[in-house]
Amino acid sequence: MRPEILNPLFAETESLKGIGPALAKPLKKLNLTRIRDLLFYLPSGQLTRIKTDHATAKDVGASVILTLTAREYRSSTGRGPFRVIATDGQNGVIHLLWFGNNSSWARKLMPLGETRIVTGKLDIYQDQLQIVHPTEILPLSEGNSIPIKETLYPLSDGLTHRRLSHLIQQGMERAPDLPEWIEPTLLQKNQWPSWRQAIERLHKNPDDRDAKMRISYDELFANQLALKLIRAANRKKRGFPLKGNGHLRDALTLPFKPTGAQSRAMLEIEGDMQQSSPMLRLLQGDVGSGKTLVALNSLLIAVEAGYQAAFLAPTEILARQHFETLSQQLAGLPVNIALLTGRDKGKLRESILMGLADGSIHILVGTHAIFQEKVSYKNLGLAVIDEQHRFGVAQRMMLAEKAEHTPHLLVMTATPIPRSLMLTAHGEMDVSRLDEMPPGRQPIETRVIAVQRIADVIASLGRHIAQGGQAYWVCPLVGESENDLDFSSEIASAEQRYTLLQQYFGDKVGLVHGRMKGPEKDKVMTAFSKGEIAVLVATTVIEVGVNVPNATLMIIDHAERFGLAQLHQLRGRVGRGSDRSVCLLLRGSELSHVARERLALIRGCHDGFRLAEEDLRLRGSGEILGTRQSGENGFQLASPEDISALLPIANDDARLLVDRDGGLSAERGQAARNALYLFERDAAVSFLRSG
Ligand code: ADP
Ligand code: MG
């Protein structure tokens, strides 16, 4: 139930004047299907034109508006351009050029002997001033309609700046003034314009600082407000207070003592689980910090208290690995544990589902996917979700919505989230951090090597496996067919590398990648963890969680293709035992400045949290890494700088508002609802009813 005042903003773009199918298509491509989308489609820059009656060489490179008279046509033979020789008011000569078969079009626009207003970018070629493909040619009478200043938008084929500007203007006319949702003192202190003014100003001048801050703040505020609402609703939900008596945990024999950080996290979780409102906690810990033990401890609390628990992983491989680890650790204890993945079908699946329904299965290990399905438990008391950075906010919301009585929820991630983003991504959760590594770990020796020296690398790999060691060889792509656009054939594909390494090491080499079928993948992974395979060539499917302590050599091919956080994750696959581990970063020949900096950072730093901060900083500098998009933080408008400047304020403001008016029913609360809808965080509105 979107507030009515917003309806004009959510009207279809196609309801604007002058949009035919030819325009609808590019708009759709840019995701500009509603007026709201148009208004939030901010310009990327500005174009300033020089109006002059006599252009000279000093104006070359500028966009000019000139009054020109056509004197002569010159057609070239073959593929050369069609030329109009034109003169300006002071007899300066300028050539207008059209390439292709445009001569009739050009003749019509510039009839001989007549004067026209010509716009375009001034160029010089062999001492001759020229304009190639003028952007606009108008009769004298219409000359004044050419704007001197024009905002530029990121475009797609079939769309011009002028067209888009006109549509946005029309949209702007329909945009209502919205009641203010920003806290009055904050608004006053910053002298920010209203929402509508801010949008209007940004389309005129993309560098308008106050307007930009205002809009970024709005977006952040809507996000934080949504999270606070989820949190408040969660607090009011009834869960099960689970107090284990310790009989299972005490019976557990571990080969090591928990670290201080693990013990602290376990205590925090135990405390949460005893509450009657459900736990909503994030366990953050670098790769290898020992999150699995904390998870196991929590699972056992639930079982001790007579409830069931689920442990969910993002991939089949990880689910299987968790299942095996837990099965070993729980051997001999009266705990029934089962594995369920999307792949299990038929009788086996039936019997597991039955065991879950009648309570004979205590712990279910599975993939995230089983959350989406109808699986009924007798009494699910706790869900642990591993590696949750692949588990989006939307899914979390769904999860919270679905449950009638809410189980405790523990999400775990090895993705070190920069402090500045922590609140935007997980503001609704409590956080435990494993900031201490189990003892005996040595830092992983990290070296950067040019890919040209691959023969040396293969030779040392050979020595490594001759001594009984195992190694990963990670590649950025699966095969040639994934090569699109700028991926040149020089890029190592996993398949190519696999073939190459087989020539040296024969069947000691295995291959695993994301396009393989599940059972195939498992076979290879199992062989690797049993030591039957010495070298595992892989794509990033092994990024999260896989644990093979005997693998102490990690080779990352074309390492510059990976982001910092990802490199860190990959490197974390080794250094799992007490042996010294090595990570070799093979770099390609052409490195951007940022890529170089990234490799230098990863070589010298082993702290995932610091790397995450640096990653954010480097990304803020504008380079788009691999397939990552600018909206990766989940924000369309707020830049990383805006986020660090404004997020703490938006977060406090949202919290205060929810504390004071959890139903968003007072005047400002109603206004804030508009912000939730406008920034598409309205899934959170459903939580108001329970509040
Ligand atoms: P992650 O946090 O990446 O999931 P794991 O739980 O897989 O880390 O643990 C990594 C390795 O460290 C495992 O081999 C595990 O058995 C071991 N480990 C966990 N906790 C401790 C500890 N307190 N002391 C020694 N080794 C530990
Ligand atoms: Mg793990």
Side-chain angles (χ1 to χ4, degrees):
M1 276 176 305
R2 186 194 310 134
E4 257 173 50
I5 189 170
L6 297 177
N7 286 349
L9 293 169
F10 281 84
E12 304 268 317
T13 311
E14 289 182 41
S15 69
L16 293 172
K17 275 194 295 267
I19 301 198
L23 207 49
K25 215 171 136 197
L27 287 173
K28 198 163 191 163
K29 201 166 154 201
L30 294 173
N31 263 326
L32 304 178
T33 55
R34 298 157 307 174
I35 307 262
R36 166 213 174 274
D37 309 326
L38 272 180
L39 296 185
F40 283 133
Y41 200 65
L42 298 181
S44 52
Q46 245 179 340
L47 173 73
T48 310
R49 295 193 180 86
I50 304 171
K51 201 166 191 166
T52 169
D53 56 358
H54 182 62
T56 64
K58 75 169 171 30
D59 302 319
V60 165
S63 285
V64 292
I65 307 175
L66 277 165
T67 311
L68 294 179
T69 311
R71 296 286 180 220
E72 187 194 333
Y73 294 143
R74 229 180 262 168
S75 298
S76 318
T77 48
R79 299 186 131 257
F82 177 76
R83 241 171 243 269
V84 176
I85 317 295
T87 49
D88 64 21
Q90 298 181 28
N91 279 325
V93 177
I94 297 194
H95 289 193
L96 307 179
L97 273 64
W98 281 267
F99 288 86
N101 294 318
N102 276 326
S103 75
S104 62
W105 167 248
R107 283 167 206 263
K108 218 155 114 195
L109 286 170
M110 292 292 292
L112 283 182
E114 295 195 24
T115 304
R116 293 283 185 271
I117 308 283
V118 178
T119 316
K121 198 165 161 210
L122 195 68
D123 233 341
I124 196 162
Y125 183 68
Q126 294 179 345
D127 286 338
Q128 176 57 56
L129 287 175
Q130 62 180 36
I131 294 175
V132 181
H133 293 196
T135 46
E136 201 143 37
I137 296 183
L138 294 173
L140 278 179
S141 56
E142 288 175 37
N144 283 333
S145 72
I146 301 173
I148 298 287
K149 255 192 173 142
E150 195 175 3
T151 39
L152 300 179
Y153 295 89
L155 291 178
S156 106
D157 282 354
L159 209 55
T160 63
H161 295 295
R162 202 67 68 83
R163 261 283 163 65
L164 196 54
S165 277
H166 280 153
L167 293 177
I168 291 171
Q169 250 167 43
Q170 276 190 62
M172 206 62 237
E173 278 157 27
R174 295 203 195 170
D177 281 315
L178 297 174
E180 187 54 72
W181 52 75
I182 293 186
E183 212 268 316
T185 46
L186 180 69
L187 194 70
Q188 232 179 18
K189 192 177 119 212
N190 289 296
Q191 304 266 306
W192 281 337
S194 72
W195 171 78
R196 193 181 182 286
Q197 283 167 345
I199 290 283
E200 195 163 21
R201 274 164 55 171
L202 281 172
H203 282 291
K204 288 195 181 118
N205 172 14
D207 299 325
D208 188 323
R209 190 81 199 123
D210 287 337
K212 177 69 196 338
M213 292 298 263
R214 151 90 213 204
I215 295 296
S216 296
Y217 184 84
D218 287 345
E219 188 180 33
L220 293 168
F221 175 68
N223 189 70
Q224 298 316 107
L225 185 58
L227 293 175
K228 300 296 166 199
L229 289 171
I230 296 174
R231 187 186 173 89
N234 195 64
R235 284 251 172 88
K236 289 204 175 118
K237 273 195 185 145
R238 293 211 71 76
F240 319 97
L242 303 183
K243 197 167 161 56
N245 59 9
H247 73 276
L248 294 174
R249 281 169 289 165
D250 292 344
L252 205 61
T253 43
L254 289 173
F256 44 71
K257 257 184 57 202
T259 64
Q262 282 171 324
S263 304
R264 275 193 300 279
M266 292 196 267
L267 270 178
E268 285 166 346
I269 291 164
E270 194 173 352
D272 281 3
M273 289 176 72
Q274 290 176 10
Q275 306 304 313
S276 55
S277 65
M279 167 169 75
L280 195 51
R281 184 170 285 275
L282 181 72
L283 178 64
Q284 231 197 338
D286 216 336
V287 276
S289 59
K291 292 184 292 297
T292 320
L293 178 66
V294 179
L296 172 62
N297 194 73
S298 324
L299 297 170
L300 291 182
I301 293 175
V303 181
E304 284 170 10
Y307 282 78
Q308 292 167 299
F311 190 13
L312 304 179
T315 62
E316 302 258 356
I317 293 178
L318 281 176
R320 272 165 213 280
Q321 193 175 294
H322 280 323
F323 177 70
E324 272 151 35
T325 314
L326 293 188
S327 300
Q328 278 165 22
Q329 285 167 326
L330 296 175
L333 296 188
V335 179
N336 194 4
I337 166 169
L339 175 71
L340 182 66
T341 72
R343 223 191 294 151
D344 299 314
K345 298 261 151 36
K347 277 227 171 73
L348 177 69
R349 189 177 189 85
E350 288 301 304
S351 82
I352 292 173
L353 291 178
M354 247 154 66
L356 290 169
D358 68 17
S360 56
I361 293 175
H362 304 115
I363 296 176
L364 176 73
V365 181
T367 43
H368 288 167
I370 56 177
F371 246 122
Q372 264 93 307
E373 295 168 34
K374 194 84 205 125
V375 175
S376 23
Y377 300 83
K378 177 160 177 258
N379 58 0
L380 182 67
L382 167 75
V384 179
I385 300 176
D386 195 15
E387 303 304 352
Q388 87 89 292
H389 74 289
R390 306 227 164 149
F391 191 71
V393 172
Q395 284 160 297
R396 267 143 55 199
M397 284 184 171
M398 186 194 74
L399 190 132
E401 241 171 351
K402 237 186 190 172
E404 295 137 35
H405 47 232
T406 313
H408 295 289
L409 186 62
L410 177 67
V411 282
M412 312 203 293
T413 179
T415 307
I417 298 159
R419 279 184 197 280
S420 57
L421 291 185
M422 193 67 201
L423 278 169
T424 70
H426 305 291
E428 88 281 27
M429 297 193 182
D430 298 304
V431 179
S432 299
R433 264 191 179 199
L434 296 184
D435 49 10
E436 180 187 350
M437 283 288 175
R441 297 279 162 81
Q442 300 176 25
I444 298 153
E445 186 187 330
T446 306
R447 271 181 272 155
V448 181
I449 299 175
V451 77
Q452 285 86 342
R453 289 181 47 206
I454 191 165
D456 298 346
V457 173
I458 292 175
S460 47
L461 174 61
R463 287 191 295 276
H464 179 75
I465 62 176
Q467 291 161 9
Q470 285 176 283
Y472 297 97
W473 189 303
V474 180
C475 299
L477 293 170
V478 176
E480 288 296 333
S481 57
E482 239 180 38
N483 291 7
D484 55 34
L485 306 171
D486 49 349
F487 290 126
S488 65
S489 58
E490 108 176 82
I491 290 301
S493 72
E495 273 153 4
Q496 278 172 356
R497 281 299 188 247
Y498 173 61
T499 314
L500 176 72
L501 292 172
Q502 263 186 328
Q503 289 167 17
Y504 291 84
F505 311 119
D507 58 6
K508 283 188 179 154
V509 187
L511 172 67
V512 61
H513 61 67
R515 286 215 223 116
M516 281 163 62
K517 292 230 159 37
E520 269 181 275
K521 264 194 273 192
D522 289 351
K523 228 177 92 194
V524 181
M525 288 309 298
T526 310
F528 186 64
S529 58
K530 283 188 184 155
E532 294 161 9
I533 289 174
V535 183
L536 184 66
V537 180
T539 55
T540 51
V541 280
I542 61 148
E543 185 184 336
V544 286
V546 176
N547 189 19
V548 181
N550 189 47
T552 54
L553 176 60
M554 164 67 66
I555 298 163
I556 304 178
D557 215 322
H558 284 81
E560 74 277 5
R561 296 265 159 193
F562 297 91
L564 260 184
Q566 212 178 8
L567 287 173
H568 180 65
Q569 291 265 332
L570 287 170
R571 180 171 60 181
R573 294 306 104 217
V574 295
R576 310 222 121 204
S578 49
D579 288 348
R580 193 185 68 114
S581 288
V582 175
C583 175
L584 303 180
L585 304 171
L586 299 191
R587 62 163 173 81
S589 43
E590 277 172 32
L591 291 199
S592 71
H593 171 70
V594 172
R596 214 171 272 282
E597 201 173 331
R598 221 185 293 137
L599 293 184
L601 270 165
I602 188 90
R603 195 178 51 205
C605 175
H606 292 83
D607 175 349
F609 288 104
R610 218 198 105 203
L611 286 171
E613 303 283 352
E614 296 291 342
D615 202 24
L616 184 70
R617 182 179 64 77
L618 287 178
R619 265 184 283 150
S621 71
E623 189 184 25
I624 297 171
L625 302 175
T627 57
R628 286 175 166 170
Q629 304 288 315
S630 57
E632 193 195 2
N633 305 331
F635 295 103
Q636 191 192 343
L637 305 160
S639 67
E641 295 82 51
D642 296 344
I643 294 174
S644 18
L646 297 172
L647 186 75
I649 310 169
N651 189 61
D652 284 352
D653 194 10
R655 184 169 35 87
L656 278 174
L657 179 60
V658 173
D659 283 353
R660 235 178 295 157
D661 180 15
L664 297 187
S665 48
E667 201 180 330
R668 191 172 159 230
Q670 295 283 352
R673 276 178 198 236
N674 291 337
L676 287 176
Y677 279 95
L678 203 49
F679 291 92
E680 310 204 287
R681 300 298 198 277
D682 49 290
V685 175
S686 64
F687 292 102
L688 292 176
R689 267 168 250 132
S690 61

